[in-house]
Amino acid sequence: MNIPSDLDISRATALKPLEDVAAQLGIGAHLLEPYGRSVAKISLDALEELPEEPTARYIVVSAITPTPLGEGKTTTTVGLGQALRHLGKRSAIAVRQPSMGPTFGIKGGAAGGGYSQVVPMEALNLHLTGDMHAVTAAHNLLAAMLDNHLHKGNSLGVDPHRITWRRVLDVNDRDLRNIVIGLGGRADGTPRQTGFDITAASEVMAVLALSTSLQDMRQRLGRIVVGYTRDGEPVSAEQLRAGGAMAVIMREAIKPNLMQTTENTPVLVHAGPFGNIAHGNSSVVADRIASRCADYVVTEAGFGADMGAERFFNIKCRTSGLRPDAAVLVATVRALKAHSGRYKVVAGKPLPAAMLAENPDDVRAGAANLRKQIDNIRLHGVSPVVAINAFPTDYHSEHDAIREVAEAEGARVAVSNHFLEGGKGALELAEAVVAAAEEPSGFQLLYPDSADLRTKIETIATKVYGADGVSYLPAAARALDGYEANGYGNLPVCIAKTHLSLSSDPTLLGAPTGWTLPVREVRASVGAGFIYPICGEMRTMPGLGSHPAAESIDIDEHGQITGLS
């Protein structure tokens, strides 16, 4: 099948003026701040002018545990938003901004795909309105002020060996993971070991995503903890007198970005927090604006339901006050075959040839993961809808196998061909979502604020991941005790683990049992407002592969970008 590239489809789209796109939601042109012709910021005045109470049905799109290739959550999110418009619903889509690290690395862009993507894809994947750069600058300003404080006498008594604040850059660069700074003469700073993370992993990015207003963001930035004194007392950005300047840098970044899909459906693109050590969801501000002017808001949560959706429910919804009406669980034939344990899927490499052969038994063999992720949605009192993201290489018998499993679990299920057909290809999915959203919502948080941190960790580990229990290394146990003593025990937890398994071991497929979650370290994102236990090795600065996407990206004699995927 000869399918145009995503870039060609994007360029062939007849874009509507953004004033017309915003008008679909009742957002006036006076609330738009244009960035070129295809992107606009939405003023925070919209929160004052739009109705105070949410009117929209709130839909989150998640997935079964993905393969390294991903299973098409963004494409499904866009396709569903488009399909709802075909049903006569006012829909708004809310997604994260892609990081340029993966765009130039193995993963490529994150605009969706085919005839269900955010356009123009070049704008989305490359810089957009500079929000990523604002996060980078604000984060690194705090790092510079911290090091300057050390150089100028260290009146706060910061312990150089207990500094937790690194620097960030929106590029995949493994050589910056661990570095020594301050080399040279005395005028060149205080030598110490540190490193770089990718900008999406910055706590400033998590703050941007979870802030409810400009002033809330200002307060959160000030609460960021950068390290500890020799007596174990936390040192904040406010104590370094950096919070105000950081907020000034972020003043424009807190405004959501308005774009459109290939079918001119409104899309709010805002924030891009890392899906491992942060909550991996787009911004609260964008969802709050959209929820006041649409019939349906469709948003996406990163990775599988055990990660992005769990954090959407227990961190994002806890902060925003919004309550989901239904959850879409994206499943693919290839992912369920991978969970059978019979195939190995490697990012950047073709699928094994045998995996493309018709074999519904392989699908059934990997179905335990689908069953558990359906259960994870239901744990929060939300109605699940399984979306079978159809690929041209699939067989009807394999789709039927997924349908049988999902329906046996009592979940609604729909095959969606949005990649090839746009909104029309997702009509069955949209109808199922509308039916699910019209049911009475029984949404509930998994744990109360008042529970201690260990109880929160163990609740997620046993109920969501299927672990028998949790073990803590001594350093992790001491950190938890310290956070409780410092008054952080009321915060939710964001467990950092592999996204390739329900467990902490990426090699354990399906729905593993008989294992214990090992917590080796615990850190605090006090500004963002969560504690994150670390289970396994987390790479917060990705590296480039043997043939990164950057090798194929260029610009032609007409100034057009080529090779972007």
Side-chain angles (χ1 to χ4, degrees):
M1 184 181 297
N2 188 16
I3 305 170
S5 70
D6 290 348
L7 187 55
D8 288 340
I9 292 172
S10 173
R11 287 180 177 158
T13 299
L15 297 177
K16 284 188 175 181
L18 285 173
E19 293 85 350
D20 295 348
V21 175
Q24 297 177 41
L25 301 175
I27 296 175
H30 66 288
L31 294 171
L32 301 183
E33 301 173 5
Y35 276 66
R37 299 178 180 177
S38 55
V39 187
K41 286 283 190 184
I42 301 176
S43 169
L44 296 190
D45 290 343
L47 287 169
E48 302 297 327
E49 293 191 19
L50 295 168
E52 187 172 338
E53 292 299 318
T55 58
R57 300 287 193 183
Y58 194 31
I59 314 300
V60 61
V61 177
S62 187
I64 63 173
T65 301
T67 67
L69 304 179
E71 308 318 312
K73 287 193 307 298
T74 304
T75 309
T76 302
T77 300
V78 173
L80 173 58
Q82 294 179 152
L84 287 164
R85 285 190 68 207
H86 285 278
L87 295 181
K89 312 292 185 183
R90 287 188 309 163
S91 62
I93 298 164
V95 295
R96 287 181 292 171
Q97 179 181 345
S99 165
M100 287 199 298
T103 295
F104 288 101
I106 293 177
K107 186 175 183 293
Y115 293 93
S116 292
Q117 59 174 302
V118 183
V119 293
M121 69 169 292
E122 307 103 299
L124 179 67
N125 287 307
L126 304 173
H127 303 291
L128 198 58
T129 56
D131 293 350
M132 284 279 184
H133 304 312
V135 170
T136 302
H139 182 115
N140 291 339
L141 172 65
L142 178 55
M145 292 186 72
L146 170 59
D147 284 310
N148 185 62
H149 181 85
L150 296 178
H151 184 66
K152 296 297 183 179
N154 193 11
S155 61
L156 292 174
V158 179
D159 184 348
H161 299 291
R162 299 192 66 186
I163 290 174
T164 56
W165 197 251
R166 290 153 58 91
R167 285 167 168 79
V168 297
L169 186 68
D170 195 31
V171 173
N172 287 6
D173 192 343
R174 66 172 57 83
D175 290 275
L176 291 178
R177 287 173 183 164
N178 297 284
I179 62 172
V180 175
I181 61 172
L183 297 177
R186 291 185 62 185
D188 297 319
T190 304
R192 65 181 181 87
Q193 185 172 340
T194 182
F196 275 79
D197 300 321
I198 197 163
T199 298
S202 167
E203 185 178 348
V204 177
M205 179 63 81
V207 165
L208 174 64
L210 290 171
S211 296
T212 58
S213 67
L214 179 61
Q215 284 306 309
D216 181 43
M217 181 178 69
R218 167 64 184 87
Q219 297 303 315
R220 287 174 180 268
L221 291 171
R223 291 198 297 267
I224 288 173
V225 172
V226 299
Y228 298 85
T229 67
R230 292 179 177 86
D231 295 327
E233 294 297 316
V235 178
S236 70
E238 202 65 55
Q239 289 174 280
L240 291 167
R241 303 182 67 182
M246 294 170 71
V248 168
I249 293 173
M250 296 290 293
R251 188 169 66 99
E252 296 300 312
I254 196 173
K255 301 172 184 177
N257 305 290
L258 178 66
M259 298 185 73
Q260 59 191 293
T261 74
T262 44
E263 296 182 4
N264 311 119
T265 304
V267 184
L268 282 72
V269 182
H270 201 209
F274 210 59
N276 275 342
I277 65 167
H279 60 293
N281 283 260
S282 59
S283 81
V284 166
V285 167
D287 287 6
R288 291 181 72 190
I289 290 175
S291 70
R292 299 182 188 187
C293 53
D295 298 326
Y296 283 81
V297 175
V298 184
T299 190
E300 174 193 353
F303 297 137
D306 57 305
M307 297 190 70
E310 183 274 313
R311 296 162 183 179
F312 170 85
F313 295 137
N314 293 299
I315 298 178
K316 185 177 181 181
C317 290
R318 193 184 297 264
T319 299
S320 71
L322 298 174
R323 296 293 179 258
D325 296 285
V328 174
L329 197 62
V330 178
T332 62
V333 167
R334 72 182 186 189
L336 289 172
K337 285 184 174 181
H339 279 291
S340 71
R342 299 169 183 172
Y343 306 97
K344 184 177 181 180
V345 178
V346 180
K349 294 186 178 181
L351 292 173
M355 198 173 177
L356 301 178
E358 182 174 9
N359 196 332
D361 287 339
D362 280 354
V363 174
R364 296 186 184 96
N369 188 270
L370 173 59
R371 294 188 187 97
K372 181 59 180 130
Q373 299 289 28
I374 290 172
D375 179 63
N376 286 339
I377 299 296
R378 284 220 176 94
L379 278 174
H380 297 88
V382 180
S383 296
V385 178
V386 175
I388 303 173
N389 182 18
F391 284 69
T393 53
D394 296 348
Y395 294 88
H396 290 300
S397 63
E398 296 170 334
H399 290 171
D400 290 343
I402 298 175
R403 187 182 295 274
E404 290 166 10
V405 172
E407 290 180 343
E409 296 299 311
R412 290 180 172 86
V413 60
V415 176
S416 191
N417 290 288
H418 46 273
F419 184 90
L420 293 177
E421 300 175 23
K424 290 182 179 179
L427 282 173
E428 181 186 350
L429 174 60
E431 290 167 350
V433 166
V434 168
E438 289 178 348
E439 294 179 348
S441 176
F443 174 70
Q444 59 187 10
L445 298 171
L446 198 58
Y447 50 80
D449 291 343
S450 59
D452 62 73
L453 294 174
R454 284 177 175 81
T455 297
K456 291 170 183 175
I457 295 168
E458 289 156 17
T459 298
I460 295 172
T462 56
K463 291 189 176 181
V464 177
Y465 304 159
D468 287 347
V470 180
S471 64
Y472 302 93
L473 288 182
R478 287 194 299 272
L480 286 170
D481 292 339
Y483 295 146
E484 296 276 4
N486 285 324
Y488 306 150
N490 64 318
L491 296 178
V493 295
C494 180
I495 299 178
K497 72 173 187 69
T498 179
H499 61 285
L500 298 173
S501 172
L502 279 162
S503 75
S504 57
D505 181 349
T507 67
L508 297 181
L509 304 175
T513 57
W515 59 280
T516 299
L517 182 72
V519 178
R520 65 174 180 83
E521 185 181 355
V522 184
R523 299 178 186 173
S525 288
V526 180
F530 55 76
I531 302 296
Y532 63 100
I534 299 175
C535 309
E537 293 295 325
M538 292 295 108
R539 289 295 189 192
T540 52
M541 171 56 86
L544 295 173
S546 299
H547 297 286
E551 292 181 354
S552 303
I553 297 173
D554 208 334
I555 195 162
D556 66 17
E557 65 273 16
H558 305 293
Q560 294 274 22
I561 295 169
T562 61
L564 190 64
S565 63

